[in-house]
PDB file of all heavy atoms in Angstrom:
ATOM      1  N   GLY U  24     -44.444 -53.170 -12.339  1.00 35.00           N
ATOM      2  CA  GLY U  24     -44.343 -54.565 -12.737  1.00 35.00           C
ATOM      3  C   GLY U  24     -43.358 -55.313 -11.898  1.00 35.00           C
ATOM      4  O   GLY U  24     -43.086 -54.995 -10.755  1.00 35.00           O
ATOM      5  N   GLN U  31     -35.710 -57.537  -3.669  1.00 37.00           N
ATOM      6  CA  GLN U  31     -35.066 -58.712  -4.228  1.00 37.00           C
ATOM      7  C   GLN U  31     -33.768 -58.972  -3.501  1.00 37.00           C
ATOM      8  O   GLN U  31     -33.043 -58.065  -3.137  1.00 37.00           O
ATOM      9  CB  GLN U  31     -34.805 -58.508  -5.729  1.00 37.00           C
ATOM     10  CG  GLN U  31     -36.111 -58.371  -6.503  1.00 37.00           C
ATOM     11  CD  GLN U  31     -35.867 -58.489  -7.995  1.00 37.00           C
ATOM     12  OE1 GLN U  31     -34.735 -58.689  -8.420  1.00 37.00           O
ATOM     13  NE2 GLN U  31     -36.909 -58.384  -8.765  1.00 37.00           N
ATOM     14  N   ALA U  38     -39.057 -53.787  -8.904  1.00 33.00           N
ATOM     15  CA  ALA U  38     -39.894 -53.061  -9.844  1.00 33.00           C
ATOM     16  C   ALA U  38     -41.184 -52.672  -9.142  1.00 33.00           C
ATOM     17  O   ALA U  38     -42.226 -53.252  -9.344  1.00 33.00           O
ATOM     18  CB  ALA U  38     -40.190 -53.926 -11.065  1.00 33.00           C
ATOM     19  N   ASP U  52     -36.367 -29.943 -18.104  1.00 39.00           N
ATOM     20  CA  ASP U  52     -35.063 -30.374 -18.591  1.00 39.00           C
ATOM     21  C   ASP U  52     -34.842 -30.004 -20.055  1.00 39.00           C
ATOM     22  O   ASP U  52     -33.908 -30.475 -20.681  1.00 39.00           O
ATOM     23  CB  ASP U  52     -34.911 -31.888 -18.411  1.00 39.00           C
ATOM     24  CG  ASP U  52     -35.968 -32.676 -19.182  1.00 39.00           C
ATOM     25  OD1 ASP U  52     -36.775 -32.026 -19.874  1.00 39.00           O
ATOM     26  OD2 ASP U  52     -35.966 -33.908 -19.102  1.00 39.00           O
ATOM     27  N   ALA U  58     -38.436 -35.707 -17.238  1.00 48.00           N
ATOM     28  CA  ALA U  58     -39.606 -35.474 -16.402  1.00 48.00           C
ATOM     29  C   ALA U  58     -40.640 -36.568 -16.615  1.00 48.00           C
ATOM     30  O   ALA U  58     -41.294 -37.014 -15.691  1.00 48.00           O
ATOM     31  CB  ALA U  58     -40.201 -34.105 -16.710  1.00 48.00           C
ATOM     32  N   VAL U  71     -30.307 -32.367  -2.738  1.00 96.00           N
ATOM     33  CA  VAL U  71     -29.695 -33.629  -3.141  1.00 96.00           C
ATOM     34  C   VAL U  71     -29.250 -34.405  -1.904  1.00 96.00           C
ATOM     35  O   VAL U  71     -29.463 -35.611  -1.793  1.00 96.00           O
ATOM     36  CB  VAL U  71     -28.484 -33.398  -4.069  1.00 96.00           C
ATOM     37  CG1 VAL U  71     -27.941 -34.739  -4.569  1.00 96.00           C
ATOM     38  CG2 VAL U  71     -28.852 -32.517  -5.249  1.00 96.00           C
ATOM     39  N   ALA U 112     -12.524 -28.619 -15.931  1.00 96.00           N
ATOM     40  CA  ALA U 112     -12.743 -29.274 -17.221  1.00 96.00           C
ATOM     41  C   ALA U 112     -13.847 -30.322 -17.136  1.00 96.00           C
ATOM     42  O   ALA U 112     -14.689 -30.433 -18.029  1.00 96.00           O
ATOM     43  CB  ALA U 112     -11.435 -29.909 -17.712  1.00 96.00           C
ATOM     44  N   SER U 129     -21.503 -47.222   5.031  1.00 61.00           N
ATOM     45  CA  SER U 129     -21.304 -48.020   3.822  1.00 61.00           C
ATOM     46  C   SER U 129     -20.396 -47.325   2.816  1.00 61.00           C
ATOM     47  O   SER U 129     -20.195 -47.830   1.719  1.00 61.00           O
ATOM     48  CB  SER U 129     -22.656 -48.332   3.169  1.00 61.00           C
ATOM     49  OG  SER U 129     -23.290 -47.135   2.779  1.00 61.00           O
ATOM     50  N   ASP U 132     -14.769 -46.674   2.161  1.00 59.00           N
ATOM     51  CA  ASP U 132     -13.680 -46.644   1.189  1.00 59.00           C
ATOM     52  C   ASP U 132     -13.805 -45.478   0.213  1.00 59.00           C
ATOM     53  O   ASP U 132     -12.852 -45.151  -0.482  1.00 59.00           O
ATOM     54  CB  ASP U 132     -13.638 -47.957   0.407  1.00 59.00           C
ATOM     55  CG  ASP U 132     -13.293 -49.140   1.298  1.00 59.00           C
ATOM     56  OD1 ASP U 132     -12.586 -48.922   2.305  1.00 59.00           O
ATOM     57  OD2 ASP U 132     -13.740 -50.264   1.011  1.00 59.00           O
ATOM     58  N   ASP U 142     -27.378 -29.045 -17.516  1.00 97.00           N
ATOM     59  CA  ASP U 142     -28.017 -29.577 -18.720  1.00 97.00           C
ATOM     60  C   ASP U 142     -27.844 -31.092 -18.726  1.00 97.00           C
ATOM     61  O   ASP U 142     -26.734 -31.592 -18.887  1.00 97.00           O
ATOM     62  CB  ASP U 142     -27.394 -28.968 -19.978  1.00 97.00           C
ATOM     63  CG  ASP U 142     -28.066 -29.465 -21.249  1.00 97.00           C
ATOM     64  OD1 ASP U 142     -29.170 -28.978 -21.565  1.00 97.00           O
ATOM     65  OD2 ASP U 142     -27.500 -30.365 -21.905  1.00 97.00           O
ATOM     66  N   LYS U 151     -21.813 -41.114 -21.186  1.00 96.00           N
ATOM     67  CA  LYS U 151     -21.757 -42.169 -22.206  1.00 96.00           C
ATOM     68  C   LYS U 151     -20.315 -42.383 -22.672  1.00 96.00           C
ATOM     69  O   LYS U 151     -19.840 -43.530 -22.758  1.00 96.00           O
ATOM     70  CB  LYS U 151     -22.639 -41.785 -23.391  1.00 96.00           C
ATOM     71  CG  LYS U 151     -22.581 -42.759 -24.563  1.00 96.00           C
ATOM     72  CD  LYS U 151     -23.449 -42.260 -25.716  1.00 96.00           C
ATOM     73  CE  LYS U 151     -23.324 -43.158 -26.931  1.00 96.00           C
ATOM     74  NZ  LYS U 151     -24.178 -42.653 -28.053  1.00 96.00           N
ATOM     75  N   VAL U 166     -29.879 -40.541 -11.508  1.00 97.00           N
ATOM     76  CA  VAL U 166     -30.176 -39.166 -11.868  1.00 97.00           C
ATOM     77  C   VAL U 166     -31.618 -38.800 -11.564  1.00 97.00           C
ATOM     78  O   VAL U 166     -32.515 -39.639 -11.557  1.00 97.00           O
ATOM     79  CB  VAL U 166     -29.890 -38.904 -13.368  1.00 97.00           C
ATOM     80  CG1 VAL U 166     -28.432 -39.161 -13.693  1.00 97.00           C
ATOM     81  CG2 VAL U 166     -30.796 -39.757 -14.257  1.00 97.00           C
ATOM     82  N   GLN U 168     -34.124 -35.005 -12.389  1.00 95.00           N
ATOM     83  CA  GLN U 168     -34.248 -34.058 -13.498  1.00 95.00           C
ATOM     84  C   GLN U 168     -33.037 -33.145 -13.601  1.00 95.00           C
ATOM     85  O   GLN U 168     -32.638 -32.769 -14.705  1.00 95.00           O
ATOM     86  CB  GLN U 168     -35.509 -33.204 -13.331  1.00 95.00           C
ATOM     87  CG  GLN U 168     -36.805 -33.944 -13.549  1.00 95.00           C
ATOM     88  CD  GLN U 168     -37.978 -32.989 -13.550  1.00 95.00           C
ATOM     89  OE1 GLN U 168     -37.979 -31.984 -14.249  1.00 95.00           O
ATOM     90  NE2 GLN U 168     -38.980 -33.284 -12.751  1.00 95.00           N
ATOM     91  N   ARG U 186     -36.386 -45.548  -5.283  1.00 94.00           N
ATOM     92  CA  ARG U 186     -37.742 -45.322  -4.773  1.00 94.00           C
ATOM     93  C   ARG U 186     -37.965 -43.863  -4.384  1.00 94.00           C
ATOM     94  O   ARG U 186     -39.098 -43.381  -4.370  1.00 94.00           O
ATOM     95  CB  ARG U 186     -38.017 -46.240  -3.579  1.00 94.00           C
ATOM     96  CG  ARG U 186     -38.123 -47.711  -3.947  1.00 94.00           C
ATOM     97  CD  ARG U 186     -38.673 -48.524  -2.786  1.00 94.00           C
ATOM     98  NE  ARG U 186     -37.787 -48.539  -1.631  1.00 94.00           N
ATOM     99  CZ  ARG U 186     -36.827 -49.440  -1.428  1.00 94.00           C
ATOM    100  NH1 ARG U 186     -36.620 -50.398  -2.329  1.00 94.00           N
ATOM    101  NH2 ARG U 186     -36.069 -49.382  -0.347  1.00 94.00           N
ATOM    102  N   VAL U 220     -30.777 -52.182 -10.436  1.00 91.00           N
ATOM    103  CA  VAL U 220     -29.537 -51.888  -9.722  1.00 91.00           C
ATOM    104  C   VAL U 220     -28.600 -53.064  -9.897  1.00 91.00           C
ATOM    105  O   VAL U 220     -28.792 -54.127  -9.307  1.00 91.00           O
ATOM    106  CB  VAL U 220     -29.805 -51.628  -8.224  1.00 91.00           C
ATOM    107  CG1 VAL U 220     -28.500 -51.390  -7.484  1.00 91.00           C
ATOM    108  CG2 VAL U 220     -30.742 -50.441  -8.057  1.00 91.00           C
TER     109      VAL U 220
END
Side-chain angles (χ1 to χ4, degrees):
Q31 296 193 1
D52 60 2
V71 185
S129 62
D132 295 331
D142 182 78
K151 176 182 176 180
V166 300
Q168 289 188 51
R186 291 192 295 270
V220 177

